[in-house]
C-alpha cells in the first residue's frame, strides 16, 4: 500500500501527517508523488510515519515504492 493510500485510509491530509512527523506538507507530497524515494528516508522519519499512520510493519511503506519485477517472458 502506498504512503498516500495509508494516509488517506487514516483520514489525514498531507499537512496533518507532516505536522505529526515533523515534516513539511511539501516533503510528504514529494514522497507520495515519487519525487523523493520512500526507501531513502531516514529510519527516524520512517518510524515516525509508521507511528502516525498506525502501521506496525515499516515494510508496508516500502512495498509500493520498490521496483516491480517483470516476470512475463
Amino acid at each position: 500500500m502506498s504512503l498516500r493510500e495509508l494516509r488517506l485510509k487514516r483520514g489525514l491530509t498531507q499537512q496533518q501527517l507532516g505536522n505529526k512527523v515533523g515534516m513539511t506538507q511539501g516533503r510528504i507530497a514529494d514522497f507520495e508523488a515519487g519525487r523523493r524515494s520512500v526507501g531513502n528516508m531516514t529510519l527516524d522519519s520512517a518510524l515516525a510515519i509508521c507511528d502516525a499512520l498506525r502501521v506496525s510493519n515499516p515494510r508496508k511503506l516500502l512495498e509500493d515504492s520498490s521496483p516491480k519485477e517483470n516476470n512475463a517472458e
Side-chain angles (χ1 to χ4, degrees), residues 38-59:
V38 173
N40 289 334
M41 76 172 58
T42 67
L43 179 58
D44 287 340
S45 294
L47 292 174
I49 289 174
C50 287
D51 286 346
L53 296 176
R54 300 186 311 270
V55 174
S56 59
N57 184 355
R59 290 180 187 220

Side-chain angles (χ1 to χ4, degrees), residues 2-71:
S2 72
L3 175 59
R4 181 177 189 275
E5 291 170 321
L6 289 167
R7 177 182 58 76
L8 292 174
K9 186 176 179 180
R10 299 295 184 236
L12 296 171
T13 65
Q14 290 175 340
Q15 184 68 49
Q16 290 168 326
L17 178 58
N19 290 343
K20 284 179 175 270
V21 300
M23 290 184 188
T24 63
Q25 177 273 327
R27 173 80 42 107
I28 299 295
D30 286 347
F31 283 125
E32 289 184 2
R35 292 184 293 268
R36 288 182 178 263
S37 172
V38 173
N40 289 334
M41 76 172 58
T42 67
L43 179 58
D44 287 340
S45 294
L47 292 174
I49 289 174
C50 287
D51 286 346
L53 296 176
R54 300 186 311 270
V55 174
S56 59
N57 184 355
R59 290 180 187 220
K60 286 192 181 277
L61 286 179
L62 301 176
E63 285 174 355
D64 197 56
S65 66
S66 60
K68 306 289 188 238
E69 290 184 24
N70 186 358
N71 292 330

